[in-house]
Amino acid sequence: MGTERKRKVSLFDVMEDPSLSAKNTKSNGLGAAAGVSDLINKWNGKAYSQRYFEILEKRKDLPVWLQKDEFLRTLHSNQTLILIPQFVLDAVVAENTDTRKKWLIGCTQPRRVAAMSVSRRVADEMDVTIGEEVGYSIRFEDCSSSRTMLKYLTDGMLLREAMADPLLERYKVIILDEAHERTLATDVLFGLLKEVLRNRPDLKLVVMSATLEAEKFQEYFSGAPLMKVPGRLHPVEIFYTPEPERDYLEAAIRTVVQIHLCEPPGDVLVFLTGEEEIEDACRKINKEVSNLGDQVGPIKVVPLYSTLPPAMQQKIFDPAPEPLTEGGPAGRKIVVSTNIAETSLTIDGIVYVIDPGFAKQKVYNPRIRVESLLVSPISKASAHQRSGRAGRTRPGKCFRLYTERSFNNDLQPQTYPEILRSNLANTVLALKKLGIDDLVHFDFMDPPAPETLMRALEVLNYLGALDDEGNLTRTGEIMSEFPLDPQMSKMLIVSPEFNCSNEILSVSAMLSVPNCFVRPREAQKAADEAKARFGHIDGDHLTLLNVYHAYKQNNEDPNWCFENFVNNRAMKSADNVRQQLVRIMSRFNLRMCSTDFNSRDYYVNIRKAMLSGYFMQVAHLERTGHYLTVKDNQVVHLHPSNCLDHKPEWVIYNEYVLTTRNFIRTVTDIRGDWLVDVAPHYYDLSNFPNCEAKRVLEKLYKKREKEKDESKSRR
DNA sequence: GAGCACTGC
């Protein structure tokens, strides 16, 4: 349970619940819950274990423990205030004496690992078996049962449950934890729960947040009461640079060296923006410190980012190196990390934080429907979170590589919520499925730009998920069941018509996991050669299919993966995703089928099926030699990772990435006349910007007309 | 001829 510097907002429906006031006389029940001293566990009727008492002693030291009675009293007099899931359990038990009645408390987390680890911790605290009274539910793993009273789940998972059960009737209380992170799913849940509360006076909602935005949450939920829990962090001294730094990377490295030279022992955490920058910085830090000779203590520089193999990630928990000689200068661990260390991963023992003030952040441009990652300044809230990482074990220091003036004047107070930075096609589809028909008047805490919503509706309409009135179609309903982007769900749904659903399942799975091609710095050539062996001349999607087939043919052998520079983890995960997709296909009686591999149509069918989903992500090769995206007319380049041996006239692409240039990544050759067949509604030339592609398409349409006439006259 | 912030279903 996050007990660090947090302000917890507890919010309930403003409507009064008569069943609560009727129970007000039973305050003893509440008090008793806090002071249980029996040796029998009231949750499962078993004797408490030794471990229970050990954990209990530690829990009693937590700041929140002192407030438990206060909370329960407040609940008693306010009818509405509860905090911390275990307390909620006590409270709900006290209020629901009828044990035959089923009820469930759900607690959401933004990340799977958190849902798992927090539920394990709570099960330990209550001395019950995980998956019984306390459980969790995440994608690919449901560890809960009919006995479960307290269930941890990811916010995305609760949203999924809501799609099948719009009033969330299984739940008595819903707790949204880490609400300040404002994930897309949490924001959708905010709006949704606000509506559900109106229709379910018996449902209670608790929102937990760690920032000053608490007041905003209060206002959004009609003035719900606020409770604060003191933090347990040590003080962190903040230092700013007197002048702005021109090169934050250089400044960060210089600061590491300074700390190592001048500061007392203690580990260092440096925030940088991405893998390449981090690896580069690690090498430079090692070099600079080795130049200092043995007058300084030894260092251990550890990179940290999400795509790092777990064994490498574990190194952040290694202790700092021992002094080289007895009594010599102390060693120091230096962790160089992305934002992953800001929220997802906590490293104890960090005393010094270096914050250059940047992070890669997702931005969305609705005009060209492109999501991209841009290095941008962080928010004050984020800077605060980063500095807090220095004070977990003892008082620390944070070096901000920007001026105090810049902190005060330039940084926005909060990071823009994800919902304002994302393509919302998938979200809008989910909302439609949840029965939200009027998106314009849906009560978003931060309403997305109307253009973003319009774009999402437009895309869903072109895909046939929404009709012209904006109502969910049967296709849209099925699409919403897939944990994929709408384009991909569409291509899966139509794939049986092209007799290639087995292959489209594999391609979809491969596109849903991290890049499967490994390219170590020391073996780039060998890795490129290995990749080329999987290459399909018609495109990267088909190359991915080749890799998947080869992986299966080699019995999912990790050694085979290693020898072929294929990421075994990615492949395992693709297999897992594929199985999930197969289950969904079966549920809707979508046929699993393949074209005969020796048929000329084998790959043609696959490419046509892909086009049926991705007809809005097409680029045309202009006579000038560069590609223009169709309709949006953006100049793009084939990403150098592609494995085509030629420049096709038309390609579909999976991703548009803005880095040194505008790249389209994962591309496959398709034919212009398929566009006319597969997506005539999108390639309606009366509604098409004037360009070379339009003229080519005009010819194709004329040819089509002519062929039709000829076949008619022949008949 | 370049990269992969972080999540989630």
Side-chain angles (χ1 to χ4, degrees):
Chain A
M1 197 75 269
T3 48
E4 55 190 83
R5 200 174 333 188
K6 268 197 178 181
R7 307 177 77 184
K8 311 231 172 202
V9 202
S10 306
L11 306 155
F12 291 101
D13 190 10
V14 284
M15 297 181 74
E16 298 216 339
D17 183 345
S19 69
L20 284 178
S21 29
K23 299 253 164 62
N24 277 351
T25 47
K26 289 193 65 187
S27 60
N28 284 346
L30 297 178
V36 169
S37 57
D38 291 343
L39 297 170
I40 298 298
N41 188 338
K42 67 181 165 191
W43 303 117
N44 58 10
K46 295 179 187 161
Y48 280 124
S49 65
Q50 182 58 36
R51 183 167 158 73
Y52 169 77
F53 292 104
E54 287 164 20
I55 296 174
L56 185 64
E57 281 315 300
K58 287 186 192 136
R59 288 176 70 199
K60 285 180 177 167
D61 286 338
L62 293 174
V64 70
W65 189 264
L66 300 172
Q67 283 170 280
K68 181 174 176 180
D69 281 348
E70 180 199 329
F71 287 145
L72 295 176
R73 273 199 308 278
T74 318
L75 166 73
H76 169 63
S77 52
N78 286 287
Q79 305 181 345
T80 52
L81 209 60
I82 307 177
L83 203 85
I84 304 299
Q86 293 95 307
F87 297 177
V88 176
L89 261 180
D90 286 335
V92 172
V93 167
E95 283 168 15
N96 293 270
T97 43
D98 184 357
T99 49
R100 286 162 308 176
K101 232 175 161 181
K102 282 207 171 169
W103 42 264
L104 181 62
I105 298 163
C107 180
T108 69
Q109 295 290 326
R111 284 166 289 278
R112 283 186 214 156
V113 264
M116 256 163 28
S117 59
V118 177
S119 68
R120 288 217 169 92
R121 166 75 197 185
V122 171
D124 278 351
E125 287 182 357
M126 289 168 51
D127 210 16
V128 297
T129 310
I130 186 77
E132 305 256 314
E133 288 78 8
V134 177
Y136 63 87
S137 177
I138 56 178
R139 186 182 182 181
F140 305 126
E141 194 187 356
D142 183 5
C143 183
S144 68
S145 68
S146 58
R147 294 184 57 184
T148 303
M149 300 180 284
L150 173 55
K151 183 166 82 170
Y152 285 83
L153 68 177
T154 48
D155 48 11
M157 198 69 200
L158 185 61
L159 212 48
R160 280 282 145 188
E161 288 189 2
M163 286 166 66
D165 172 16
L167 288 178
L168 292 163
E169 283 174 284
R170 312 162 59 189
Y171 295 94
K172 187 104 189 147
V173 182
I174 286 169
I175 305 165
L176 302 179
D177 199 0
E178 309 289 356
H180 61 279
E181 289 193 29
R182 302 290 305 274
T183 65
L184 198 42
T186 296
D187 264 25
V188 174
L189 284 170
F190 277 155
L192 186 72
L193 284 165
K194 206 170 165 177
E195 295 218 341
V196 171
L197 286 171
R198 265 198 285 278
N199 299 303
R200 281 214 32 212
D202 61 313
L203 179 72
K204 299 192 174 215
L205 171 66
V206 179
V207 178
M208 308 215 279
S209 166
T211 67
L212 300 169
E213 272 204 307
E215 283 79 11
K216 181 173 182 173
F217 293 168
Q218 269 189 297
E219 195 183 325
Y220 178 74
F221 284 107
S222 324
L226 172 83
M227 294 207 83
K228 296 172 191 179
V229 178
R232 241 200 342 177
L233 278 181
H234 300 278
V236 175
E237 207 179 341
I238 311 274
F239 299 89
Y240 294 92
T241 54
E243 297 295 328
E245 293 285 353
R246 218 162 6 103
D247 178 349
Y248 71 81
L249 185 60
E250 182 269 328
I253 294 166
R254 182 171 12 101
T255 310
V256 171
V257 175
Q258 282 297 320
I259 290 173
H260 191 48
L261 280 171
C262 310
E263 296 285 343
D267 297 336
V268 183
L269 172 61
V270 189
F271 284 102
L272 289 178
T273 65
E275 171 177 345
E276 213 178 56
E277 194 178 78
I278 286 168
E279 293 292 350
D280 186 39
C282 288
R283 276 191 298 276
K284 285 179 175 157
I285 291 167
N286 271 319
K287 196 170 151 233
E288 299 249 338
V289 172
S290 73
N291 286 345
L292 297 172
D294 44 16
Q295 296 306 304
V296 296
I299 56 165
K300 185 187 187 96
V301 186
V302 203
L304 177 63
Y305 42 88
S306 72
T307 49
L308 205 63
M312 297 284 279
Q313 284 194 4
Q314 276 302 311
K315 287 191 190 222
I316 61 171
F317 300 113
D318 288 356
E322 292 293 316
L324 289 175
T325 54
E326 220 179 287
R332 210 187 284 274
K333 178 170 69 182
I334 296 157
V335 180
V336 187
S337 170
T338 60
N339 252 2
I340 192 169
E342 191 181 301
T343 46
S344 312
L345 265 171
T346 301
I347 315 157
D348 282 322
I350 297 292
V351 180
Y352 307 99
V353 162
I354 300 174
D355 171 21
F358 292 96
K360 272 191 196 169
Q361 283 172 315
K362 186 169 74 182
V363 287
Y364 177 61
N365 180 343
R367 203 139 301 165
I368 53 172
R369 263 186 275 123
V370 173
E371 260 182 2
S372 50
L373 286 173
L374 279 185
V375 173
S376 25
I378 61 169
S379 64
K380 285 195 180 82
S382 184
H384 184 204
Q385 175 75 13
R386 287 181 173 191
S387 60
R389 294 306 195 180
R392 294 192 58 87
T393 26
R394 59 182 163 99
K397 290 181 178 177
C398 175
F399 298 89
R400 293 184 175 157
L401 305 182
Y402 38 90
T403 62
E404 186 164 14
R405 193 189 142 81
S406 175
F407 175 83
N408 288 323
N409 301 343
D410 302 343
L411 301 194
Q412 348 163 227
Q414 302 289 337
T415 309
Y416 258 45
E418 194 184 5
I419 199 165
L420 303 182
R421 299 182 283 121
S422 305
N423 174 347
L424 295 182
N426 220 352
T427 305
V428 167
L429 184 62
L431 285 168
K432 288 281 178 183
K433 170 72 184 171
L434 288 163
I436 312 295
D437 296 320
D438 186 2
L439 289 170
V440 181
H441 295 104
F442 184 67
D443 193 356
F444 290 106
M445 187 177 284
D446 284 283
E451 193 177 357
T452 305
L453 290 175
M454 286 304 297
R455 276 299 204 173
L457 290 167
E458 185 188 74
V459 163
L460 292 169
N461 178 245
Y462 277 130
L463 287 170
L466 300 178
D467 63 22
D468 292 344
E469 277 71 52
N471 299 312
L472 199 62
T473 62
R474 178 65 185 150
T475 303
E477 221 164 275
I478 302 174
M479 281 168 64
S480 73
E481 295 288 331
F482 285 95
L484 305 169
D485 276 343
Q487 291 89 332
M488 210 182 282
S489 315
K490 181 62 189 281
M491 105 174 152
L492 262 177
I493 291 171
V494 300
S495 62
E497 295 166 30
F498 293 90
N499 205 23
C500 60
S501 49
N502 287 321
E503 289 72 23
I504 293 297
L505 276 163
S506 307
V507 173
S508 304
M510 291 296 286
L511 291 172
S512 303
V513 300
N515 183 11
C516 67
F517 297 109
V518 181
R519 196 168 186 250
R521 182 174 276 271
E522 64 281 1
Q524 291 187 348
K525 195 158 167 270
D528 289 346
E529 283 165 11
K531 182 178 172 184
R533 286 198 290 276
F534 298 112
H536 190 292
I537 51 162
D538 284 332
D540 302 315
H541 297 87
L542 305 177
T543 302
L544 291 176
L545 185 62
N546 283 344
V547 176
Y548 183 78
H549 284 158
Y551 171 72
K552 294 304 264 188
Q553 269 158 23
N554 287 280
N555 305 313
E556 302 155 35
D557 178 8
N559 290 321
W560 175 86
C561 288
F562 181 79
E563 285 156 16
N564 290 278
F565 294 89
V566 167
N567 181 342
N568 183 48
R569 260 191 315 146
M571 297 308 296
K572 267 181 144 164
S573 152
D575 227 9
N576 211 358
V577 172
R578 193 179 187 283
Q579 283 167 27
Q580 188 189 28
L581 299 179
V582 165
R583 285 195 295 272
I584 301 170
M585 294 280 279
S586 312
R587 222 168 65 214
F588 292 99
N589 293 319
L590 293 162
R591 204 160 47 92
M592 255 61 86
C593 52
S594 297
T595 305
D596 175 12
F597 185 70
N598 297 309
S599 160
R600 268 175 24 209
D601 287 336
Y602 181 80
Y603 286 112
V604 169
N605 288 347
I606 296 170
R607 287 154 67 199
K608 282 185 177 170
M610 294 196 300
L611 183 62
S612 309
Y614 286 87
F615 55 84
M616 285 171 277
Q617 296 183 16
V618 172
H620 179 251
L621 178 65
E622 307 285 291
R623 267 173 308 197
T624 52
H626 56 244
Y627 283 91
L628 272 192
T629 58
V630 163
K631 280 201 173 179
D632 300 320
N633 285 338
Q634 299 290 309
V635 179
V636 290
H637 305 271
L638 299 181
H639 195 274
S641 62
N642 85 79
C643 57
L644 295 159
D645 70 340
H646 60 296
K647 280 177 108 178
E649 183 181 1
W650 301 92
V651 293
I652 50 166
Y653 59 89
N654 184 56
E655 260 182 307
Y656 187 135
V657 287
L658 297 175
T659 48
T660 50
R661 299 168 98 178
N662 294 355
F663 289 111
I664 46 176
R665 189 162 52 194
T666 316
V667 292
T668 287
D669 183 343
I670 52 117
R671 290 186 40 183
D673 48 349
W674 298 349
L675 296 172
V676 177
D677 291 336
V678 163
H681 58 306
Y682 189 73
Y683 290 89
D684 170 13
L685 297 183
S686 62
N687 172 25
F688 218 84
N690 204 16
C691 60
E692 216 175 294
K694 181 175 182 174
R695 289 187 286 281
V696 176
L697 286 165
E698 270 166 0
K699 276 184 208 147
L700 290 171
Y701 272 109
K702 274 189 196 132
K703 197 174 131 204
R704 178 78 7 135
E705 285 301 308
K706 214 172 125 196
E707 281 167 5
K708 259 189 214 157
D709 288 347
E710 279 170 9
S711 76
K712 247 185 235 161
S713 59
R714 246 182 273 134
R715 257 187 256 147

